[in-house]
Amino acid sequence: MKKITLILTLLNVVFAIGQVQKTNLQQFELPIEVRTAFEQTYPIKDVLWTSDYEGDYAQQLSYIAKFKVENAEIAAHYNQDGILKLIEESVPLNNLKPDISKYISDHYGTFKIKEAVKIIDSQNKTTYEVGITDNTYFFDLQFDDTGYFLQLLDKN
């Protein structure tokens, strides 16, 4: 009986430690530089902030502000110093550039378009990423601002 009690106690301790670690990972302190840079650009009050490691080898800590403007969902990515790295804006599927729609129809006719985003990077370069699926595979197709296909990004 003592062994069972000891095992149950150990399991409870392990579970409690796991919950504390999970909570700490989800909470972070937003640097004042990031908050100030965001507020100077976007006078938005209803914002969801997250953090993530991005870039090559996921080594760059980014702070991401997610919010809506009219019907568009927007994600603004900042580095730790409050420098805007990129903006992602949802694009209604019926508003895709004709060249993008044609390319997908010609090359991926059996796939369904699931989502589309317009991305503006820190050099003001615009690209589009369109998520497509055939219910088995999910890919992002990347296009330049004129609708010219650049590359396929495997999301599997």
Side-chain angles (χ1 to χ4, degrees), residues 4-154:
I4 293 173
T5 304
L6 179 61
I7 290 171
L8 289 175
T9 303
L10 287 173
L11 286 174
N12 282 334
V13 168
V14 168
F15 178 74
I17 289 171
Q19 290 301 311
V20 168
Q21 288 176 343
K22 183 177 180 183
T23 301
N24 288 340
L25 288 175
Q26 291 174 346
Q27 296 175 356
F28 61 90
E29 226 174 283
L30 187 63
I32 190 71
E33 298 87 355
V34 174
R35 182 175 303 283
T36 302
F38 176 79
E39 289 173 351
Q40 287 175 350
T41 307
Y42 301 102
I44 307 289
K45 299 291 183 211
D46 189 17
V47 180
L48 172 65
W49 284 99
T50 61
S51 65
D52 196 9
Y53 286 91
E54 299 178 328
D56 296 335
Y57 309 107
Q59 293 178 334
Q60 300 166 342
L61 180 60
S62 291
Y63 296 94
I64 304 154
K66 296 179 181 182
F67 56 98
K68 283 189 175 188
V69 174
E70 296 174 6
N71 290 330
E73 294 180 14
I74 299 175
H77 297 240
Y78 292 86
N79 71 9
Q80 292 173 297
D81 299 322
I83 297 172
L84 182 63
K85 302 308 281 181
L86 66 92
I87 301 167
E88 295 177 290
E89 181 180 338
S90 64
V91 176
L93 301 182
N94 59 348
N95 285 357
L96 281 175
K97 292 183 176 266
D99 288 346
I100 293 175
S101 297
K102 181 174 180 357
Y103 182 90
I104 294 170
S105 176
D106 290 349
H107 294 89
Y108 298 94
T110 60
F111 284 68
K112 293 179 185 169
I113 299 174
K114 287 296 192 182
E115 62 186 9
V117 293
K118 175 181 177 180
I119 300 170
I120 303 170
D121 69 13
S122 59
Q123 284 80 42
N124 226 11
K125 179 183 171 190
T126 300
T127 56
Y128 292 87
E129 288 186 10
V130 180
I132 62 170
T133 186
D134 68 351
N135 294 326
T136 303
Y137 296 102
F138 184 84
F139 301 102
D140 270 354
L141 302 176
Q142 190 178 50
F143 299 86
D144 69 10
D145 62 342
T146 68
Y148 179 79
F149 175 73
L150 298 173
Q151 65 178 330
L152 180 138
L153 305 168
D154 189 353

